[in-house]
Amino acid sequence: TKVRLSRFERRALRMAIQRFNQAAVVENQRFCHEPSQLPLSFNPSTRVFFAYQRTRIALLIDAAPTLVATYGSINKGQKSGATCPLDNITRMVRTYVESLVEPILHHDTKNAWEPELSISVMAVFPSSDHSDVPSTSLLVRDYTLTNKESANKLVRQLETWLLSTVEEELATRMSRKHQSLLFADLTSPVQQSSVRDWLETGNAALSTMSSEARP
């Protein structure tokens, strides 16, 4: 919203912003500054933008059986050579995290602002009747992303984790399901992921991460 201020109001606003910056830049203070009062009042058409020094992200992988379901024929319609959705996750996550840590150039200076992220990555499996079956699998918690090097390190660990831990757990679940269909329950549906499980897992992941970062 464009607001026309008088000379006195502009001076008061400049002084308020200076006080805001002095309070925000405190030695050894890493958490986000939350002012008790903003320099300008809001109205229904006001647009507000927030910039945090550190941001929390919970990246959840939908580890349903469809994750390893083949596309029908190898390389058909898939330029990457992927045969199932699992094969595409590493490439997609690489593109995602590298874009998040891309330095942002200021329009009036040569300096660049480098984002700082805290990320947790886990797989969420469909709920199971077996008490010994895990509902989630954690790769990293509160891992710091600051540049492409740290992003590439995360992606390499992600690929190994997907093709070992996650795929192995999916195979175990599908093997149990196959046995139950052979011996008893022929009408038992294939279990799918629950939105409620996703939300609860995501909230729990964010709540256990660094308090210095904002979700």
Side-chain angles (χ1 to χ4, degrees):
T1 302
K2 293 184 177 179
V3 181
R4 186 178 296 275
L5 303 176
S6 65
R7 182 177 180 180
F8 174 78
E9 290 174 330
R10 289 198 300 270
R11 184 170 180 267
L13 175 60
R14 184 167 59 252
M15 295 178 62
I17 293 176
Q18 289 176 353
R19 289 193 300 269
F20 178 93
N21 291 335
Q22 290 173 357
V25 185
V26 177
E27 186 176 358
N28 296 327
Q29 178 174 307
R30 296 297 303 278
F31 56 84
C32 178
H33 175 59
E34 297 182 8
S36 58
Q37 184 178 358
L38 294 175
L40 290 177
S41 58
F42 292 157
N43 61 52
S45 59
T46 300
R47 294 183 179 181
V48 180
F49 299 88
F50 295 93
Y52 298 118
Q53 182 177 358
R54 193 177 181 95
T55 303
R56 282 180 288 172
I57 298 176
L59 182 60
L60 307 181
I61 307 297
D62 184 9
T66 52
L67 191 64
V68 291
T70 59
Y71 291 123
S73 61
I74 298 178
N75 295 332
K76 183 178 181 181
Q78 296 292 325
K79 295 181 180 180
S80 62
T83 59
C84 65
L86 181 68
D87 297 334
N88 283 321
I89 292 180
T90 301
R91 176 180 54 83
M92 295 169 64
V93 171
R94 182 187 300 276
T95 302
Y96 176 65
V97 296
E98 285 186 353
S99 64
L100 290 178
V101 298
E102 188 72 24
I104 300 175
L105 295 175
H106 298 282
H107 66 280
D108 57 348
T109 178
K110 294 182 180 180
N111 296 328
W113 178 72
E114 297 182 352
E116 188 174 350
L117 311 171
S118 292
I119 186 171
S120 292
V121 181
M122 62 176 57
V124 182
F125 297 98
S127 57
S128 174
D129 298 331
H130 300 279
S131 59
D132 60 331
V133 174
S135 58
T136 61
S137 176
L138 178 68
L139 173 61
V140 292
R141 175 184 287 117
D142 219 359
Y143 177 78
T144 300
L145 284 176
T146 56
N147 49 38
K148 284 191 175 182
E149 182 180 354
S150 58
N152 289 331
K153 183 178 179 180
L154 174 64
V155 171
R156 289 194 297 270
Q157 295 295 326
L158 173 73
E159 184 175 19
T160 302
W161 172 69
L162 286 173
L163 298 179
S164 56
T165 305
V166 175
E167 191 169 18
E168 181 180 353
E169 178 59 29
L170 283 172
T172 301
R173 286 168 171 260
M174 295 174 69
S175 176
R176 286 187 175 184
K177 186 66 179 177
H178 180 67
Q179 292 177 2
S180 65
L181 291 175
L182 285 178
F183 294 103
D185 191 0
L186 297 177
T187 61
S188 177
V190 176
Q191 293 176 329
Q192 299 294 331
S193 300
S194 167
V195 175
R196 184 179 64 180
D197 293 340
W198 269 72
L199 294 176
E200 291 178 351
T201 303
N203 288 334
L206 290 174
S207 64
T208 56
M209 296 171 67
S210 172
S211 59
E212 298 175 355
R214 292 302 180 95

